[in-house]
Amino acid sequence: MDALVEAANAKLEHLETSLGALQQIRARFATKDGAVTAEVDGNGALTGLWLDESISEMSAKDVSKLITWASHQAAQLTGVERGKILESLNSTFRAP
């Protein structure tokens, strides 16, 4: 019985650690020219946006495309990290 309780506690600890790690995920992506930098969280929500003064010389359409693209790239980076955390968590709950 002790071994069963110990295994359950280990799984619970890993679950709590994984949930904390998922909440901490952040990624930034900047365009090559540095005009736009976007930061997103592990859910893909935009948490930060930095625009260089050089955007004042661009059309609104081009700026919006850069913002969307940079945000998407940052979200892809968080997706990779999220996948690693979830794979680790899943391996904890797989039967031996």
Side-chain angles (χ1 to χ4, degrees):
M1 187 61 146
D2 289 340
L4 182 62
V5 170
E6 188 176 315
N9 282 333
K11 289 178 180 180
L12 177 60
E13 184 177 313
H14 196 136
L15 175 61
E16 290 172 345
T17 300
S18 296
L19 290 174
L22 288 169
Q23 292 176 345
Q24 297 300 316
I25 294 175
R26 296 282 186 279
R28 283 188 186 182
F29 184 87
T31 57
K32 285 184 182 182
D33 61 2
V36 175
T37 301
E39 179 185 79
V40 300
D41 66 14
N43 295 316
L46 188 64
T47 58
L49 181 64
W50 295 267
L51 304 174
D52 188 72
E53 288 183 31
S54 63
I55 66 158
S56 64
E57 299 171 9
M58 299 177 193
S59 70
K61 183 177 179 179
D62 288 342
V63 172
S64 67
K65 285 181 181 180
L66 282 177
I67 291 171
T68 302
W69 183 72
S71 298
H72 179 73
Q73 296 303 312
Q76 284 186 325
L77 294 172
T78 62
V80 170
E81 188 61 29
R82 185 178 184 88
K84 290 177 186 176
I85 293 168
L86 292 176
E87 178 57 35
S88 174
L89 179 62
N90 286 336
S91 69
T92 301
F93 285 91
R94 287 189 191 115

